[in-house]
């Protein structure tokens, strides 16, 4: 049973397209996150949601729009994809914000 | 703002030997958490070990232990009896005890394990 699952694992698309990445957790956690890992392996938080409410938006372009339909899901929609959006995107979850994070296996996005 | 620095882009170790990965951080806070995460080629981020800043005792998890020097703002990871499966990227991370919603990661250290 996968605790935090992301789909798709790989996403190849053209510049200017719109794409979505889905994330689901079955751990009963109330806080979910999106992290971005660039080509140099640097990981940085993008968004954090607690009980479906946005907590953190780390100066991410507004082309990125997270949506949390319920506590178990946090999807990431990206409009007008740019070359610089190519990265690995990780979803994560935790029970509250003081507990350890469980990460998904990442979605590798390649923008051509 | 807090920062995390890993000064070793790559390290290597012989199987069964011991290796230490370095991490330093900068913060003005007195209460925080420190973590080491492992990222194998599968890309999965796996928590290796966690340290609360208010605890003086160094955390240990089986073959993994840390040397936490709060005054020096240093948090190194020691891997004993290295195994081939330990080969991975290792990330040091910081989280404030006040602003707990995000982890701040270092740039990572790639560890190679040779048989």
């Amino acid at each position: 049973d996968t605790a935090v699952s992301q789909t798709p694992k790989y996403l190849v698309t053209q510049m200017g397209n719109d794409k979505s990445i889905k994330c689901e957790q079955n751990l009963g956690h109330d806080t979910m996150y999106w992290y971005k890992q660039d080509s140099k392996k640097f990981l940085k938080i993008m968004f954090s949601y607690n009980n479906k409410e946005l907590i953190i938006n780390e100066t991410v372009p507004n082309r990125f729009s997270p949506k949390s339909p319920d506590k178990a899901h946090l999807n990431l929609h990206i409009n007008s994809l740019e070359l610089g959006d190519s990265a690995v995107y990780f979803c994560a979850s935790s029970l509250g914000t003081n507990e350890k994070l469980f990460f998904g296996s990442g979605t590798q996005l390649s923008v051509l | 703002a807090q920062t995390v620095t890993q000064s070793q882009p790559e390290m290597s170790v012989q199987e069964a030997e011991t290796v230490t990965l370095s991490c330093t951080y900068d913060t003005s806070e007195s209460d925080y958490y420190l973590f080491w995460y492992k990222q194998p080629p599968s890309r999965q981020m796996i928590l290796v070990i966690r340290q609360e800043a208010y605890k003086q005792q160094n955390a240990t998890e089986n073959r993994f232990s840390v040397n936490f020097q709060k005054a020096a703002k240093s948090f190194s990871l020691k891997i004993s009896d290295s195994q081939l499966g330990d080969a991975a990227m290792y990330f040091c991370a910081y989280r404030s005890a006040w602003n707990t919603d995000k982890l701040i990661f270092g740039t990572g250290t790639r560890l190679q394990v040779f048989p």
Side-chain angles (χ1 to χ4, degrees), chain B residues 101-112:
Chain B
D101 298 320
K102 63 179 180 180
L103 284 173
I104 299 169
F105 285 92
T107 49
T109 297
R110 182 177 300 280
L111 177 66
Q112 292 183 299

Side-chain angles (χ1 to χ4, degrees), chain B residues 4-112:
Chain B
V4 178
T5 302
Q6 292 179 250
S7 58
Q8 305 155 318
E10 290 194 7
M11 292 284 285
S12 60
V13 64
Q14 207 81 24
E15 205 175 359
E17 298 294 309
T18 295
V19 65
T20 298
L21 308 184
S22 301
C23 173
T24 58
Y25 57 94
D26 189 27
T27 183
S28 58
E29 298 176 336
S30 60
D31 201 8
Y32 47 86
Y33 303 90
L34 296 164
F35 306 83
W36 278 98
Y37 277 87
K38 171 185 178 181
Q39 187 178 38
S42 66
R43 230 170 42 202
Q44 186 76 43
M45 292 289 288
I46 303 164
L47 179 64
V48 175
I49 202 163
R50 162 185 159 145
Q51 175 82 42
E52 290 91 344
Y54 62 85
K55 289 187 177 177
Q56 291 188 339
Q57 187 173 5
N58 289 325
T60 63
E61 286 286 342
N62 301 313
R63 299 181 295 106
F64 298 87
S65 61
V66 298
N67 183 3
F68 173 46
Q69 302 287 330
K70 191 172 184 180
K73 295 180 184 173
S74 170
F75 183 61
S76 60
L77 174 70
K78 185 171 86 170
I79 306 175
S80 304
D81 185 25
S82 296
Q83 300 175 359
L84 294 177
D86 295 333
M89 284 288 289
Y90 286 82
F91 293 94
C92 180
Y94 170 101
R95 190 176 74 200
S96 165
W98 306 106
N99 178 13
T100 56
D101 298 320
K102 63 179 180 180
L103 284 173
I104 299 169
F105 285 92
T107 49
T109 297
R110 182 177 300 280
L111 177 66
Q112 292 183 299

